[in-house]
Amino acid sequence: MKKCKLAVMAWLSVCIVLFTSCGNSAGVSAGSTSEVKSTSVSESTVEEKQPYEILREKEDETKQIAADEDQQVIELKEALNEFQFFYTEADGAGDVLMGMSPHCDEAAEKGKSCILPFLYLFGPSVDPVMMLGFNYITDEYMDMDTVEIDTDNYRYTRSVLEGEIQKTKVTINGGQTERLDEIAMHLVTEDDLDALVDIVESDEVGLTFAKYNTAKPVFVECEMPEEDRQAITDVLNAYYLYLNASEKVRAKALADISYTEVES
């Protein structure tokens, strides 16, 4: 999946200026103050919940658990350690770390079409940015224009623009087979965060990769790999812990992160 990661990093350099200049990340803006900066998730009363579940409830102050700064650093580090990080300098927007859950590789390396969640970190003073890659592994490129996600309760439809697609090749089955890889990139919004939670909490999730804008529609339906559920959980946990941390906590958590450096 290395080519997939590099393709996503290359795509990032094209549009990252928009993320940072217009504040189009899902969550509070980079200039927000610290109403929830002391939030932690380590208490035994909430240990059965995922961090993202607790922090999404932060509007109810009775569900906030205060913790010292060192504990917050530990929790954020643990969440970030679930990722493989790649570092690059994005044109016009400085440097960036891209995090990807190893569970994404597990699905794609089996040849399963899947959802690839990515976490982008620009430093302690900037809130995190999340993106989704809708990854269609195939023998022939579709040039998809639509992705549909069916959960227990909803159908989410994402239109795909031509410039949002990356095409590459991947090897699967332990490097024995080469196939084509078509990835549609999507910037996560507040509404998407709700959809991701719904996906994680649904018993069954179906994916449809489609080209509907043609006289001869093409579509492929498949079940979302179980690995995606854990990958999305990982990115939600890291996203909300980072979003609700102070700049100092973020800096301490980032200080020891291991990463692979790639050319922009």
Side-chain angles (χ1 to χ4, degrees), residues 116-188:
L116 303 175
F118 299 96
L119 186 69
Y120 295 100
L121 305 178
F122 301 91
S125 62
V126 180
D127 283 347
V129 172
M130 195 192 307
M131 293 193 67
L132 294 180
F134 300 108
N135 191 29
Y136 175 53
I137 297 178
T138 178
D139 294 320
E140 183 177 351
Y141 288 129
M142 179 189 296
D143 294 319
M144 70 178 104
D145 56 35
T146 304
V147 177
E148 294 174 345
I149 305 170
D150 287 288
T151 66
D152 291 345
N153 301 303
Y154 299 101
R155 169 171 292 170
Y156 302 97
T157 301
R158 297 287 177 262
S159 297
V160 179
L161 302 178
E162 184 176 352
E164 295 175 334
I165 293 178
Q166 286 285 335
K167 295 179 179 179
T168 184
K169 295 180 180 179
V170 294
T171 54
I172 63 173
N173 300 326
Q176 299 179 14
T177 307
E178 185 175 77
R179 299 193 71 188
L180 302 179
D181 193 14
E182 187 172 333
I183 310 171
M185 298 303 300
H186 177 75
L187 177 64
V188 171

Side-chain angles (χ1 to χ4, degrees), residues 22-33 37 125-127 190 243 250:
C22 66
N24 195 25
S25 62
V28 291
S29 63
S32 293
T33 54
K37 296 303 184 185
S125 62
V126 180
D127 283 347
E190 282 286 354
L243 184 67
R250 294 175 180 182

